[in-house]
């Protein structure tokens, strides 16, 4: 099972985007990819998710196995600024998503039922909603669109830089990779303190 996942997990990423077209409620699956890096850090005390299981990096490896320019990425992109820009984008987006979902939940604003690129740029087409899964609360739909937008934005950036540079260049600036490295450092620091106590 583990080997099957490692081999075919790219299908998970593709399915995420296809299922979202059928019904945006499936975008909630995206939380799986947001949570799993930290689950493995707690469980294994290392970045097992990034090393083996991540369906997104698996997709990049697959797509760019035979295509792409395979250049080395510029240092500014992978060594600092790029990482900080993406982390800032993620934290800002996450805060906006949380607050706007809360406002929709409290009935203080309407849900935004559009996919956006980089928070601001609305795509010129609507999700067709081909599969009826019943009436969902507005906040559930809103959150689905926001998670789908975040995943859509990051996969497009990842594919673009994966084409121009090496396949997994995205991993150098991925907010989940950055945050899980920080969590791992904190965990190791706590363990070292306990050992020294
Ligand atoms: S850095 Fe991000 S995209 Fe790369 S393997 Fe880790 S979670 Fe996946």
């Amino acid at each position: 099972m583990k080997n099957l996942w490692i081999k075919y997990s790219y299908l998970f990423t593709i399915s995420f985007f296809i299922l979202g077209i059928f019904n945006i409620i499936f975008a909630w699956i995206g939380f799986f990819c947001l949570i799993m890096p930290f689950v493995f850090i707690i469980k294994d005390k290392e970045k097992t998710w990034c090393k083996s299981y991540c369906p997104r990096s698996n997709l990049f490896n697959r797509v760019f196995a035979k295509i792409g320019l395979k250049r080395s990425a510029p240092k500014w992109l992978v060594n600092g600024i790029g990482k900080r820009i993406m982390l800032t984008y993620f934290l800002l987006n996450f805060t906006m998503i949380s607050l706007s979902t809360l406002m929709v939940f409290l009935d203080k604003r309407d849900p935004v039922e559009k996919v956006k690129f980089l928070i601001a740029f609305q795509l010129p087409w609507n999700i067709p909603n081909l599969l009826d899964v019943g009436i969902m609360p507005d906040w559930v739909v809103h959150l689905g669109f926001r998670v789908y937008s975040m995943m859509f934005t990051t996969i497009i950036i990842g594919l673009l830089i994966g084409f121009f540079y090496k396949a997994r260049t995205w991993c150098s600036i991925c907010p989940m990779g950055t945050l899980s490295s920080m969590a791992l450092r904190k965990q190791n620091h706590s363990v070292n303190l306990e050992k020294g106590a």
Side-chain angles (χ1 to χ4, degrees):
M1 185 66 188
K2 177 181 164 186
N3 288 344
L4 270 182
W5 174 265
I6 289 172
K7 200 166 175 193
Y8 296 111
S9 63
Y10 69 98
L11 295 173
F12 181 90
T13 306
I14 295 171
S15 305
F16 169 83
F17 289 105
I18 293 175
L19 285 172
I21 291 170
F22 279 84
N23 194 297
I24 200 64
I25 217 68
F26 290 111
W28 275 66
I29 296 169
F31 283 110
F32 177 72
C33 290
L34 297 179
I35 293 167
M36 288 316 286
F38 303 102
V39 170
F40 276 100
I41 282 186
I42 293 166
K43 182 174 151 297
D44 295 347
K45 299 185 178 37
E46 61 175 313
K47 292 174 70 177
T48 312
W49 176 258
C50 290
K51 283 182 186 164
S52 309
Y53 295 110
C54 176
R56 176 174 294 230
S57 62
N58 189 252
L59 178 74
F60 294 144
N61 280 337
R62 288 273 174 166
V63 171
F64 300 117
K66 295 209 170 78
I67 61 167
L69 305 181
K70 303 189 194 325
R71 294 185 195 141
S72 294
K75 286 209 168 49
W76 67 264
L77 180 62
V78 294
N79 281 352
I81 294 180
K83 220 183 254 291
R84 282 198 288 276
I85 289 173
M86 282 318 300
L87 188 60
T88 306
Y89 158 76
F90 176 81
L91 295 175
L92 187 67
N93 198 13
F94 194 77
T95 306
M96 287 172 67
I97 288 173
S98 305
L99 290 177
S100 63
T101 303
L102 179 64
M103 289 298 109
V104 175
F105 177 75
L106 295 173
D107 224 2
K108 294 195 181 297
R109 59 167 286 178
D110 292 330
V112 178
E113 299 185 14
K114 302 278 181 195
V115 178
K116 291 185 177 178
F117 180 75
L118 277 176
I119 306 176
F121 307 102
Q122 194 170 300
L123 298 193
W125 64 81
N126 290 327
I127 293 267
N129 209 24
L130 299 167
L131 187 68
D132 186 1
V133 294
I135 298 170
M136 289 288 155
D138 282 351
W139 70 271
V140 173
V141 174
H142 176 84
L143 187 54
F145 271 100
R146 303 294 39 93
V147 171
Y148 195 87
S149 298
M150 183 168 64
M151 294 296 201
F152 176 76
T153 300
T154 51
I155 200 80
I156 293 294
I157 296 172
L159 286 170
L160 278 175
I161 60 177
F163 176 79
F164 286 107
Y165 307 116
K166 297 200 173 123
R168 284 186 60 172
T169 303
W170 166 256
C171 291
S172 317
I173 60 171
C174 168
M176 300 320 294
T178 308
L179 288 172
S180 53
S181 293
M182 288 161 77
L184 183 61
R185 272 201 297 278
K186 192 160 174 32
Q187 180 164 293
N188 288 343
H189 183 65
S190 306
V191 170
N192 288 341
L193 281 181
E194 274 172 27
K195 277 183 188 162

